[in-house]
Amino acid sequence: MTDLPPYNSIKQQLQACRSKEETFKALVALSKRLTRLTAEEKTEENRVKGCESAVWLIIDNKDDTYSIKADSDAKLMRGVLVAILSLVQGKTKTERQKMDLKDELESLNLGSYLTQSRANGILAIIEKIKK
Amino acid sequence: MAFDPHSLRQDFPILSQQAYDHPLVYLDNAATTQKPLSVLDAIQDYYRSFNANVHRGAHYLSDNATTRFEQARDTVARFINAPEQSHIIWSKGTTEAINMVAYGLEHLLEKGDEILITSLEHHANLVPWQQLAFRTGARLRILPLTSQGEWEDEYASYFTDRTRIFATTQVSNAIGVHTPLQAMLTQAKQHNAFTLVDGAQAVAHYPIDVQALDCDFYVFSGHKMYGPTGIGVLYGKSHALEVLIPYQTGGEMVQHVTYQSTQFNTLPYRLEAGTPHIEGAIGLAAACEFLTQQDRHALLAWEQSLAHRVYTRLHKESHVAIYSPEKHTTLVSLSVPNIHTLDLNAYLDSQGIAVRAGSHCAHPLMSQLGVAGTLRASFACYNTLEEADRFCDVLLEAIDLLTDE
């Protein structure tokens, strides 16, 4: 998790994409930065409902140190998760709740990777992060 | 191959566009087909020239609209060789037609009766029967067809004297295999079960003769056979349609109404409450005429040759699993181990290729195949060999890009 690229560089990289193909390739590259969950961590309880692909999210915010882990069975979704994790990593609960996560993600120029049937899933992820 | 799709494509202007700066390659025809100009013109002509409500006979336009609307019914009847046009009931589509039968037969079912369907059904030919079983105490049974669709002698034991309804698809939407229709219908009839055939995936490709099939009900959608969305057909034999309790009631389906009771109209109107989808019926008739004017054997042979081309090219790739039969199908359903079909779909889309990724509304079948979903390339008469090849090329590129070293 510590080797996530800084959010600003992810943002720059994605915003520079000029075609659907470039965004695809950028997301594939990002997906490789995700620390995968173990099979034991991929429980039904950790599963986010509403995603077209399977997405698991584990949030541990016992004290002030917020830890978040995520995984998906789809590679492009793993790329999107890297962007989301990088965005919220190290932020306190108040900071997270103040952020407009949806707006921020929409600024990434992900187009159809974020819209339509995927949107519900992303919203569900945002909901879970804000709690 | 004598057939040339290039001239036919001129009837489908939607196909000559770019998608993400690539030529659009439309291979999602099992979900919905594109519409030829003759269908678009028929719909526009209705609104421009004779739009009025039907069956009211009050004025010039209404008479015209009613005549054309009933001619459409006649065209559809001839298209599937129904004995009379009163056997054609308009519906919103296949799903509504199946629901009309599932509700309409409810009064004949008792606890312990059996409803038999196959393991290759779309949810549209599964959920209405499952819910009917819940409501009546009947038992839903599944005939476990293999993904090859062949008849096995042991299947006969699934047809019993308690089987009241047997419903099957003609062609699987998810994997393109044909079910052993005649053998199953013979069994069902021996046990006096009502028989329903879901022809949604068949009508665009295969000439249909409902009298030869000899099923009680045959259902299909307009939009999968070059017609408009929102219109479909419930064909039924007279005695089968007569026993259906109307699923919806209201205007148009009545002869006389008092506050105490209603005398229903005769068939087909008894099962068509409310103002019908007039433009849909007229558009669907135009689609039937479009198909009738073609050499349907040549069209089918062409579509099958495209699917076969994809099959033979991808079959050689050890990492591609194909679930469709090698021959006699117009679609190819596949998956690649360790690569999500949505990821494959995203790359294909980025190159302008439209296919379908997912479970194809057939969750139980996906479980049977042991996959979460498949990628489905489905062909129509306007697809070209270049498009089939481009699909294969781009799919292999996608696999390369998505494979971890």
Side-chain angles (χ1 to χ4, degrees), chain A residues 20-21 24-25 28 32 52-54 73-78 112-113 118, chain B residues 20 22 339-340 342-343 346-347 349-351 357 398 401-405:
Chain A
K20 192 164 178 183
E21 180 181 344
F24 175 92
K25 288 179 174 165
V28 167
K32 295 178 177 155
E52 217 182 336
S53 48
D73 60 349
K75 197 177 274 257
L76 297 179
M77 182 51 102
R78 292 204 291 274
S112 62
Y113 295 113
R118 285 180 181 84
Chain B
Y20 305 114
H22 297 279
I339 300 184
H340 205 287
L342 288 175
D343 290 339
Y347 188 70
D349 180 39
S350 79
Q351 305 301 306
L401 288 166
L402 290 161
T403 301
D404 295 308
E405 297 86 40

Side-chain angles (χ1 to χ4, degrees), chain B residues 351-363:
Chain B
Q351 305 301 306
I353 301 174
V355 293
R356 176 83 183 272
S359 60
H360 315 293
C361 296
H363 291 159

Side-chain angles (χ1 to χ4, degrees), chain B residues 198-275:
Chain B
D198 171 357
Q201 291 296 330
V203 279
H205 309 287
Y206 307 93
I208 303 300
D209 181 340
V210 289
Q211 294 187 70
L213 277 176
D214 198 27
C215 50
D216 291 313
F217 301 104
Y218 190 91
V219 297
F220 59 97
S221 300
H223 72 99
K224 292 188 200 290
M225 52 163 287
Y226 310 103
T229 51
I231 186 80
V233 171
L234 164 63
Y235 155 82
K237 288 183 182 174
S238 297
H239 77 91
L241 291 175
E242 291 291 354
V243 299
L244 292 184
I245 302 288
Y247 155 62
Q248 289 190 330
T249 52
E252 303 272 358
M253 54 83 68
V254 298
Q255 260 170 3
H256 187 68
V257 179
T258 66
Y259 286 121
Q260 286 72 39
S261 68
T262 294
Q263 194 185 349
F264 292 152
N265 207 335
T266 53
L267 287 170
Y269 314 111
R270 190 172 68 87
L271 296 169
E272 294 176 352
T275 295

Side-chain angles (χ1 to χ4, degrees), chain B residues 68 76 97 110 186 401:
Chain B
R68 297 287 286 271
V76 170
E110 288 172 10
T186 302
L401 288 166

Side-chain angles (χ1 to χ4, degrees), chain B residues 9-230:
Chain B
R9 283 175 83 83
Q10 298 181 356
D11 281 341
F12 296 86
I14 196 172
L15 297 171
S16 56
Q17 64 180 295
Q18 303 275 304
Y20 305 114
D21 297 324
H22 297 279
L24 173 70
V25 174
Y26 187 78
L27 303 180
D28 194 17
N29 295 290
T32 199
T33 56
Q34 300 303 339
K35 323 304 172 197
L37 286 172
S38 59
V39 169
L40 306 183
D41 289 346
I43 294 168
Q44 193 174 79
D45 186 39
Y46 162 64
Y47 283 117
R48 290 179 79 104
S49 311
F50 55 99
N51 169 51
N53 210 331
V54 293
H55 303 308
R56 298 182 200 275
H59 50 76
Y60 175 78
L61 285 182
S62 175
D63 281 349
N64 269 346
T66 304
T67 303
R68 297 287 286 271
F69 179 70
E70 289 307 327
Q71 276 171 356
R73 200 190 296 275
D74 189 47
T75 302
V76 170
R78 280 184 283 116
F79 183 71
I80 60 171
N81 195 32
E84 281 173 57
Q85 52 168 287
S86 62
H87 296 242
I88 302 296
I89 313 295
W90 302 116
S91 71
K92 284 194 292 188
T94 303
T95 300
E96 190 183 51
I98 294 171
N99 275 283
M100 283 161 78
V101 178
Y103 279 92
L105 292 179
E106 182 170 337
H107 65 110
L108 297 177
L109 258 67
E110 288 172 10
K111 194 169 187 302
D113 282 344
E114 293 172 2
I115 304 165
L116 184 63
I117 63 172
T118 83
S119 54
L120 298 180
E121 302 309 320
H122 185 285
H123 294 161
N125 202 22
L126 186 170
V127 183
W129 305 119
Q130 178 194 64
Q131 299 301 312
L132 173 62
F134 288 155
R135 293 195 302 274
T136 57
R139 180 172 165 226
L140 180 68
R141 297 192 68 193
I142 313 299
L143 186 64
L145 295 184
T146 66
S147 56
Q148 301 306 308
E150 281 147 6
W151 174 259
E152 311 274 349
D153 288 338
E154 72 221 44
Y155 293 160
S157 66
Y158 283 82
F159 296 85
T160 75
D161 289 338
R162 296 307 302 263
T163 310
R164 300 304 313 279
I165 300 169
F166 170 65
T168 180
T169 190
Q170 185 170 359
V171 176
S172 155
N173 72 304
I175 57 174
V177 71
H178 288 250
T179 56
L181 205 50
Q182 287 300 355
M184 295 190 297
L185 291 176
T186 302
Q187 287 291 328
K189 269 175 276 182
Q190 277 172 12
H191 295 278
N192 294 318
F194 282 100
T195 53
L196 178 142
V197 176
D198 171 357
Q201 291 296 330
V203 279
H205 309 287
Y206 307 93
I208 303 300
D209 181 340
V210 289
Q211 294 187 70
L213 277 176
D214 198 27
C215 50
D216 291 313
F217 301 104
Y218 190 91
V219 297
F220 59 97
S221 300
H223 72 99
K224 292 188 200 290
M225 52 163 287
Y226 310 103
T229 51

